[in-house]
Amino acid sequence: MHCQQLLFISIINSYFLFIISQLHKILEGCVLQFGNIVVQGENLLLVSSLLISYVMFYYGIKILKIERNIMDLIFNSFINGVLIWKFSYVFLHPNSVLQNPMTILYFNGGYVGISMGIVFITVYTWLYVKKQNIPVASYTRAVVPVYFGYFSTFAWIRVMENSQNYFIILQAIVAICFFIVASRVKIQKTLLQLLIWFHLIQFELALYKKYFVNTGIISKEVWLYGSLVIVFICISYWLERREREAALGDENKGRRNAMTQLALGVMMVSIAVASIFNNQQEEGKIKPKPVVSTSLDSGKIGTNKGEVAPDFELLSITGDKIKLSDLRGKTVILNFWATWCPPCRAEMPEMQKFYENNKNNNVEILAVNLTNSERGPDAVNDFVKNKGVTFKVVLDEQGDIGNLYGAITIPTSYIIDKNGVIRNKYIGPMSYETMDLMISNIQ
């Protein structure tokens, strides 16, 4: 198989996982609650991915009349890639999993896990295509409409999340239009041109999004779509050149291969740069963003976003009095938890790691233990000591503060900015990446 064909397969499959990673960011703070049972957004993502995959599989077989083995390839590589991303936490943090196996239910391998999934689906697809002697043109005919189908679903989920953002609505409309067109096209060259035009339009829309205009910085989406436009243009050029050379002979084969390898290297660097900008910010180095208007601070005290967090004073496990208002000037993660709570136990090592890396960046963690539900303060002291927790832990012995903040399901965390304003609420265990993302968004 020619290297440009392999690169094309790699990019398409890799972008499937990029879409899933973006869906993960959207659903990360979402929960469904059935009594005392909480279903995390990440698990909703896995279920929804399976359902969307099934719909795309049915669409490919029944509507597009794609060969069964090709649709099996797309379905299996994608689902296995998502599962590898989800359960890569086991390989990346074996000690945490051995200490608390429940962590694999709550966390994933983040962007490293996505990279592991990308490697898997690329190798798996390449080997399967070679083994089954599947023409790349046939694979392209199947995978491009499916790709647009996934992107359309992802775009419309974003519309439901933020129906007032007209740029997101335009992205969704463009995606569904390209999905319809790609479903009717059978020529590989035309499908590649559709990919080029699609990402070019998304590139333009990303340029003109409101946040880009306001901040004056290049967004991650701009880098991503710009890189993909360049990559698909190069692939399209390679395919056309190969066809011409096949007709005219192969006199310059050696020089062509050398140039191909060079261009491949350049493009891989481009993809790497785009991935860096799409990646989470470096651990322990939360970079400040432009100051957000303090209009969020309406002066109203409450537990909703944009309201000033209600003040309180509690005793710490060391006997010191700690007031929430004393932490003004720092970004605070206010966490409600208990030692008997499995997701709380899974979350604590992640919070400790995040605290150690960011305590010098005006970031504070205040963990409010719902002591009225514990066996006693000694259970809290033993847990904190065994887990090596060094951030502030206070005791809500009567449960008043937990009731005040509506911490019915634990863990529940509030992200409070330097002015004491609640900027976000998260129900369920937070990973390091989740905390990094939430704090970075308001720093």
Side-chain angles (χ1 to χ4, degrees):
M1 181 181 299
H2 293 274
C3 60
Q4 61 264 37
Q5 296 172 332
L6 176 59
L7 180 62
F8 170 74
I9 292 173
S10 174
I11 292 169
I12 289 292
N13 280 291
S14 300
Y15 206 51
F16 273 137
L17 280 188
F18 165 75
I19 293 173
I20 288 299
S21 71
Q22 296 303 304
L23 275 171
H24 173 250
K25 289 181 181 179
I26 292 173
L27 295 175
E28 203 168 30
C30 299
V31 294
L32 287 180
Q33 187 168 348
F34 306 95
N36 293 326
I37 300 176
V38 176
V39 180
Q40 293 297 314
E42 185 172 295
N43 295 325
L44 290 175
L45 171 62
L46 292 175
V47 174
S48 62
S49 298
L50 184 61
L51 292 175
I52 296 170
S53 296
Y54 179 80
V55 171
M56 288 293 104
F57 182 84
Y58 181 87
Y59 184 79
I61 295 294
K62 300 296 183 180
I63 308 300
L64 300 182
K65 307 298 183 183
I66 302 297
E67 292 84 352
R68 177 64 181 259
N69 63 335
I70 297 179
M71 291 308 300
D72 282 337
L73 165 62
I74 297 173
F75 182 84
N76 292 335
S77 63
F78 176 67
I79 294 300
N80 288 327
V82 171
L83 291 176
I84 287 174
W85 160 68
K86 169 63 180 173
F87 294 104
S88 59
Y89 188 86
V90 176
F91 301 99
L92 298 175
H93 306 281
N95 292 333
S96 298
V97 175
L98 288 174
Q99 293 175 7
N100 187 358
M102 295 292 289
T103 54
I104 62 177
L105 297 178
Y106 308 119
F107 305 130
N108 59 68
Y111 287 92
V112 176
I114 290 177
S115 300
M116 293 171 64
I118 288 173
V119 171
F120 168 80
I121 57 180
T122 300
V123 174
Y124 176 82
T125 302
W126 180 42
L127 294 176
Y128 192 96
V129 167
K130 290 186 66 176
K131 181 179 179 180
Q132 298 292 327
N133 293 320
I134 297 174
V136 175
S138 299
Y139 176 81
T140 305
R141 166 78 180 95
V143 77
V144 173
V146 172
Y147 164 69
F148 284 135
Y150 265 95
F151 196 100
S152 300
T153 306
F154 155 68
W156 285 107
I157 289 177
R158 293 187 67 188
V159 169
M160 290 186 288
E161 181 202 31
N162 187 1
S163 60
Q164 302 301 315
N165 191 318
Y166 297 110
F167 286 102
I168 294 178
I169 295 175
L170 282 174
Q171 281 185 313
I173 293 173
V174 169
I176 195 68
C177 290
F178 273 82
F179 170 64
I180 294 172
V181 173
S183 298
R184 297 175 178 271
V185 173
K186 297 183 179 180
I187 302 173
Q188 178 176 266
K189 180 179 178 181
T190 305
L191 289 169
L192 280 171
Q193 291 173 345
L194 285 176
L195 286 171
I196 293 171
W197 281 106
F198 174 76
H199 292 104
L200 184 60
I201 293 173
Q202 297 296 341
F203 173 79
E204 293 291 336
L205 290 175
L207 277 176
Y208 289 101
K209 276 186 177 179
K210 185 177 181 180
Y211 66 84
F212 171 78
V213 175
N214 286 347
T215 61
I217 60 175
I218 298 179
S219 71
K220 300 170 186 177
E221 283 186 294
V222 171
W223 282 99
L224 176 69
Y225 293 129
S227 297
L228 287 174
V229 168
I230 295 173
V231 168
F232 284 121
I233 287 176
C234 291
I235 291 175
S236 181
Y237 169 76
W238 274 341
L239 290 174
E240 289 184 8
R241 181 176 178 181
R242 191 188 63 173
E243 291 175 359
R244 290 196 303 266
E245 290 181 347
L248 297 175
D250 204 15
E251 298 178 357
N252 299 320
K253 182 176 179 179
R255 187 167 62 89
R256 182 194 65 181
N257 288 341
M259 292 299 296
T260 296
Q261 295 297 329
L262 177 61
L264 176 61
V266 171
M267 282 190 294
M268 294 305 292
V269 171
S270 175
I271 295 173
V273 171
S275 299
I276 291 172
F277 276 88
N278 182 59
N279 203 343
Q280 79 262 34
Q281 294 178 342
E282 185 179 355
E283 292 185 358
K285 295 183 180 180
I286 297 178
K287 300 178 181 179
K289 292 190 173 184
V291 178
V292 179
S293 171
T294 56
S295 60
L296 281 173
D297 188 350
S298 61
K300 180 181 178 181
I301 297 177
T303 58
N304 297 316
K305 292 181 183 180
E307 297 178 339
V308 177
D311 196 16
F312 61 84
E313 182 179 82
L314 291 173
L315 288 176
S316 71
I317 57 175
T318 59
D320 300 321
K321 291 182 178 181
I322 296 179
K323 291 183 66 176
L324 178 62
S325 57
D326 291 340
L327 302 178
R328 290 285 179 90
K330 294 184 177 182
T331 303
V332 179
I333 298 177
L334 178 62
N335 176 259
F336 292 89
W337 70 288
T339 61
W340 49 263
C341 162
C344 300
R345 299 173 68 90
E347 179 184 53
M348 278 297 169
E350 297 283 305
M351 297 188 74
Q352 177 61 30
K353 179 181 176 183
F354 182 80
Y355 176 71
E356 290 175 354
N357 289 337
N358 294 284
K359 60 185 178 182
N360 295 326
N361 296 322
N362 275 336
V363 174
E364 187 65 70
I365 296 178
L366 181 59
V368 179
N369 176 262
L370 303 183
T371 317
N372 61 318
S373 67
E374 300 278 7
R375 298 192 307 273
D378 289 341
V380 183
N381 288 327
D382 292 342
F383 180 88
V384 169
K385 183 178 179 180
N386 291 335
K387 294 293 184 180
V389 174
T390 58
F391 49 80
K392 293 179 173 61
V393 177
V394 294
L395 305 175
D396 185 12
E397 296 182 345
Q398 305 302 320
D400 295 336
I401 307 305
N403 292 333
L404 175 64
Y405 277 83
I408 300 173
T409 301
I410 56 174
T412 293
S413 299
Y414 288 85
I415 310 300
I416 303 172
D417 68 15
K418 296 177 181 179
N419 298 316
V421 178
I422 295 175
R423 301 296 298 275
N424 216 330
K425 179 182 178 179
Y426 191 95
I427 300 176
M430 293 196 296
S431 66
Y432 186 105
E433 290 76 15
T434 301
M435 288 180 276
D436 189 47
L437 177 64
M438 288 191 171
I439 297 299
S440 297
N441 286 338
I442 67 171
Q443 282 276 333

